[in-house]
Amino acid sequence: MNIFYIVLFTLLLLGIPGIIIWFLILPLKKSTEKNIIFAITILISLVVVTLFIASAFVPSKIDRFIETEIVEVEHQINRISPEYTNQTLNAETIKNLIADSKQIRSYFNNNDDVNFIVRVIGVNAYISYIENFCENINTYLNEFEETNTPFTLHNIFISLKDQSQTPVLQTIKIIEIIIIVVAFIAYLAILIWIMAIKKGWMSNSNNGIVFGENK
């Protein structure tokens, strides 16, 4: 989701509860229900806005995370054979080097400073592209040759990182849509709750909240 839509939906997620509070909750008579519904509306709005804004930054965090881990993987390889990741290699050699996706996954999962969502979404997307690369290595080799890009480990790692951003963005978009839908369902439930209070379907008594009219 681009910046415009992020700002737009953030304003909506804040504006709707703001309108509900100002025009519907504050005019209610003082009661336990009013305090509860006011607190819940504030809590829901804070949670959904925080989650929505945080999700918008996940793709860039994943990109930086994958880039950092690529540098670490290359460092480990170059320690054994200096500048090996920048050497042009044949398809079979490349395939043998990166075919073990479990080993590469272990490098990425050793970073304890990265949160769970970034690791799960980012690593899974990147590893799936590595596995696809090994299964279709000749296709990738032809693409590199067409663009006159040296078939090196470094270039392959970076190319796969760029390609893995597509499923990452799609996943985050789905998460953002879910957050928005859940938020609007919650706001709708709050509106129904307010209507129930105004209509007298819910009333406060010593025994707690009572549904229906008192007799």
Side-chain angles (χ1 to χ4, degrees):
M1 207 175 276
N2 61 40
I3 298 297
F4 173 77
Y5 287 108
I6 291 171
V7 172
L8 175 62
F9 282 107
T10 299
L11 292 175
L12 281 175
L13 292 173
L14 287 172
I16 292 174
I19 292 171
I20 291 173
I21 291 171
W22 187 260
F23 291 101
L24 298 176
I25 297 178
L26 291 180
L28 293 174
K29 294 180 180 179
K30 289 183 179 181
S31 66
T32 302
E33 294 104 310
K34 178 179 179 179
N35 294 334
I36 292 173
I37 200 170
F38 179 82
I40 289 176
T41 303
I42 292 292
L43 180 62
I44 289 174
S45 63
L46 289 176
V47 170
V48 296
V49 168
T50 299
L51 290 176
F52 185 77
I53 293 175
S55 68
F57 289 97
V58 170
S60 61
K61 288 183 178 179
I62 287 176
D63 188 65
R64 290 195 300 270
F65 169 65
I66 297 296
E67 192 170 298
T68 300
E69 296 309 301
I70 287 174
V71 171
E72 182 59 29
V73 170
E74 291 185 354
H75 176 68
Q76 296 295 332
I77 294 172
N78 290 330
R79 283 178 60 187
I80 300 171
S81 182
E83 291 300 315
Y84 192 73
T85 56
N86 290 317
Q87 293 179 21
T88 301
L89 304 172
N90 60 53
E92 192 62 31
T93 302
I94 293 283
K95 184 176 181 179
N96 290 335
L97 285 170
I98 65 175
D100 188 1
S101 59
K102 290 182 179 179
Q103 180 64 31
I104 295 176
R105 185 186 290 273
S106 69
Y107 280 115
F108 285 66
N109 286 332
N110 283 334
N111 192 330
D112 296 328
D113 297 329
V114 180
N115 66 54
F116 176 78
I117 296 297
V118 170
R119 180 181 288 110
V120 169
I121 297 177
V123 171
N124 285 343
Y126 191 67
I127 294 300
S128 68
Y129 270 82
I130 288 178
E131 292 171 347
N132 179 265
F133 173 86
C134 292
E135 293 172 1
N136 303 278
I137 193 165
N138 289 326
T139 301
Y140 281 92
L141 177 58
N142 291 335
E143 291 176 358
F144 273 64
E145 289 177 345
E146 288 174 1
T147 58
N148 294 318
T149 304
F151 205 53
T152 67
L153 281 173
H154 174 76
N155 290 338
I156 291 167
F157 286 150
I158 297 300
S159 175
L160 295 179
K161 175 185 75 72
D162 294 339
Q163 293 179 51
S164 67
Q165 280 290 294
T166 299
V168 167
L169 291 172
Q170 291 173 344
T171 301
I172 297 304
K173 185 179 292 185
I174 292 171
I175 292 173
E176 290 172 340
I177 291 172
I178 291 172
I179 292 171
I180 292 170
V181 171
V182 169
F184 279 97
I185 291 174
Y187 296 152
L188 179 60
I190 290 170
L191 287 173
I192 294 172
W193 189 358
I194 294 171
M195 183 178 293
I197 294 174
K198 286 189 172 184
K199 294 290 185 179
W201 300 337
M202 299 173 63
S203 61
N204 192 33
S205 69
N206 293 333
N207 294 324
I209 295 175
V210 177
F211 291 85
E213 296 181 358
N214 291 329
K215 295 183 179 180

